[in-house]
Amino acid sequence: MAASKLQAFLNHPAGPKTRLGVDPLPLWVTFFALLLPPRSPQTSFSVDAFCRMSLTVHFWAPTFKWGISIANIADFAKPPEKLSYPQQIAVTATGVIWSRYSTVIIPKNWNLFSVNVAMAATGIYQLSRKIRQDYFSEAEAEVAVAKE
């Protein structure tokens, strides 16, 4: 049972096989090979092959992207004054945009979807902390002073 699930995971189009079995070369090698004149029919690359390789769903990028979400979760312990608006806006926007993209591509990449939902959620939480600290804590302090 576990072996069949592992086999299904390994052979899934969005699994850890980075190129879906099309070509073992890294994408940048393929790109530069397109710029070089072909030496023989066996080593030449077509633009169609390049497009097929560059438009495939990758496994490792979203897997390592979890590091950004984990770092953002670790920043929950930071005081809000140390948070950066541009950084948290970028994390939130990236999460929202790529969450949508991951549901449109075929095959759907649920790893990409889940990491980007986590990025959007942690970014929104961090932005809410920063906004509360910058705009609403001063108003609460003024109300407390006025009561005294």
Side-chain angles (χ1 to χ4, degrees):
M1 174 89 171
S4 65
K5 288 192 178 218
L6 178 64
Q7 190 67 27
F9 168 73
L10 292 175
N11 292 328
H12 189 272
K17 292 181 181 176
T18 57
R19 208 65 85 249
L20 301 177
V22 176
D23 190 349
L25 293 175
L27 187 59
W28 65 271
V29 172
T30 306
F31 175 74
F32 286 113
L34 283 173
L35 301 176
L36 299 172
R39 292 185 217 155
S40 69
Q42 290 81 19
T43 60
S44 66
F45 293 92
S46 68
V47 174
D48 180 51
F50 175 74
C51 290
R52 279 187 286 119
M53 283 182 270
S54 64
L55 297 176
T56 58
V57 178
H58 296 278
F59 170 79
W60 294 109
T63 300
F64 285 109
K65 198 173 183 181
W66 276 104
I68 298 170
S69 295
I70 292 167
N72 220 15
I73 291 169
D75 286 347
F76 288 174
K78 270 188 183 178
E81 306 88 43
K82 297 206 177 215
L83 297 175
S84 163
Y85 279 115
Q87 177 184 358
Q88 295 307 322
I89 289 169
V91 167
T92 304
T94 299
V96 170
I97 291 167
W98 288 101
S99 292
R100 169 70 177 126
Y101 172 77
S102 65
T103 61
V104 175
I105 58 174
I106 297 173
K108 294 189 182 347
N109 190 337
W110 296 112
N111 187 18
L112 182 64
F113 177 75
S114 60
V115 71
N116 284 304
V117 167
M119 284 184 69
T122 59
I124 289 169
Y125 176 70
Q126 295 286 52
L127 281 172
S128 69
R129 287 181 58 215
K130 180 76 170 161
I131 290 169
R132 273 188 308 216
Q133 193 271 332
D134 287 350
Y135 296 104
F136 297 113
S137 64
E138 294 171 3
E140 292 171 2
E142 291 172 7
V143 170
V145 170
K147 286 183 180 179
E148 292 176 359

